[in-house]
Amino acid sequence: QSALTQPASVSGSRGQSITISCTGTSSDVGAYNYVSWYQHHPGKAPKLMIYDVNKRPSGVSNRFSGSKSGNTASLTVSGLQAEDEADYFCSSYTSSNTLVFGGGTKLTV
Amino acid sequence: QVQLVESGGGVVQPGGSLRLSCAASGFTFSSYGMHWVRQAPGEGLEWVAFIRYDGSNKYYADSVKGRFTTSRDNSKNTLYLQMNNLRGEDTAVYYCAKVYDDTWGYFDYWGQGTLVTVSS
């Protein structure tokens, strides 16, 4: 199972919006609405930000939103804040009853 | 609060075996599925295995199928990963993770990880 494809880095200024893409195949991202996004600050445990493509767990800011089109899922962070600077990675369920992760994207604010 | 503490990592020769443990606390361990995820040096995350809350279903990545076995002892609140016939490409930090709510493939808590190095 190949990893999902994410850009290595994205950047934006405070208050702006950015979007991170996560490209898979018709056997994972394109086949199911089981895509998630995690925020990972170095030295801390990853935090679930989005699940089921566009749902937010309780406590996650509504500045974070998710979407999907075909084999590509996206995470949008609006109103960028300094604390949003972190690594972000996506994950998807696959047709083989497995999970596959993206390579991760470093967001610089 | 929820805590997941991995242990059992170390240096092992190719072809050797190792058993990792993940001690859970702060939640009803027997009610949640658990996953193993690993990260090789300089690489992204790789999903390894899943075990249902009662141990009845298990799934593995193709890269470890037939060599790794996950199990759990709900009476001890502990998750295990038995790794046999280890290869150099198994070198990684291994994390256990708790599933979020009643989902299968989302994680809300992760351990700090334990390093496995396969080298002669």
Side-chain angles (χ1 to χ4, degrees), chain A residues 1 3 33-36 38 40 45-48 50-53 56-58 89 91 93 96-103, chain B residues 35-39 43-48 50 59-62 65 95 100-101 103-112:
Chain A
Q1 184 71 47
N33 288 326
Y34 296 139
V35 176
S36 59
Y38 295 84
H40 189 199
K47 177 183 179 182
L48 180 65
I50 296 288
Y51 69 101
D52 285 354
V53 175
R56 281 187 306 275
S58 174
F89 58 90
S91 177
Y93 178 75
S96 304
N97 280 332
T98 63
L99 288 174
V100 61
F101 288 100
Chain B
H35 290 261
W36 288 99
V37 176
R38 68 185 181 184
Q39 186 168 28
E43 303 290 331
L45 294 170
E46 180 186 14
W47 176 80
V48 174
F50 165 80
Y59 301 103
Y60 300 93
D62 287 344
K65 201 174 293 182
Y95 301 93
Y100 167 65
D101 206 11
T103 66
W104 181 90
Y106 307 130
F107 320 127
D108 55 359
Y109 290 94
W110 302 60
Q112 84 291 347

Side-chain angles (χ1 to χ4, degrees), chain A residues 2-71:
Chain A
S2 299
L4 305 177
T5 301
Q6 297 181 233
S9 62
V10 298
S11 63
S13 302
R14 293 187 189 188
Q16 288 186 331
S17 295
I18 62 92
T19 297
I20 300 172
S21 62
C22 169
T23 302
T25 70
S26 57
S27 296
D28 40 64
V29 174
Y32 308 97
N33 288 326
Y34 296 139
V35 176
S36 59
W37 290 90
Y38 295 84
Q39 178 189 66
H40 189 199
H41 287 105
K44 294 189 174 183
K47 177 183 179 182
L48 180 65
M49 305 301 284
I50 296 288
Y51 69 101
D52 285 354
V53 175
N54 57 15
K55 297 178 182 176
R56 281 187 306 275
S58 174
V60 172
S61 170
N62 59 10
R63 297 186 298 103
F64 291 84
S65 61
S67 62
K68 191 186 85 166
S69 177
N71 295 339

Side-chain angles (χ1 to χ4, degrees), chain B residues 7-89:
Chain B
S7 61
V11 180
V12 61
Q13 292 187 337
S17 298
L18 214 54
R19 188 177 84 154
L20 306 183
S21 299
C22 170
S25 60
F27 66 103
T28 305
F29 179 70
S30 58
S31 296
Y32 292 91
M34 298 290 294
H35 290 261
W36 288 99
V37 176
R38 68 185 181 184
Q39 186 168 28
E43 303 290 331
L45 294 170
E46 180 186 14
W47 176 80
V48 174
F50 165 80
I51 183 168
R52 201 164 175 252
Y53 68 95
D54 57 0
S56 60
N57 282 345
K58 305 173 187 181
Y59 301 103
Y60 300 93
D62 287 344
S63 57
V64 307
K65 201 174 293 182
R67 299 187 300 121
F68 289 14
T69 302
T70 188
S71 61
R72 63 192 299 160
D73 186 336
N74 286 342
S75 68
K76 295 182 178 180
N77 290 343
T78 303
L79 173 72
Y80 302 101
L81 184 68
Q82 177 66 43
M83 305 184 295
N84 298 329
N85 192 18
L86 283 160
R87 308 166 180 166
E89 54 264 37

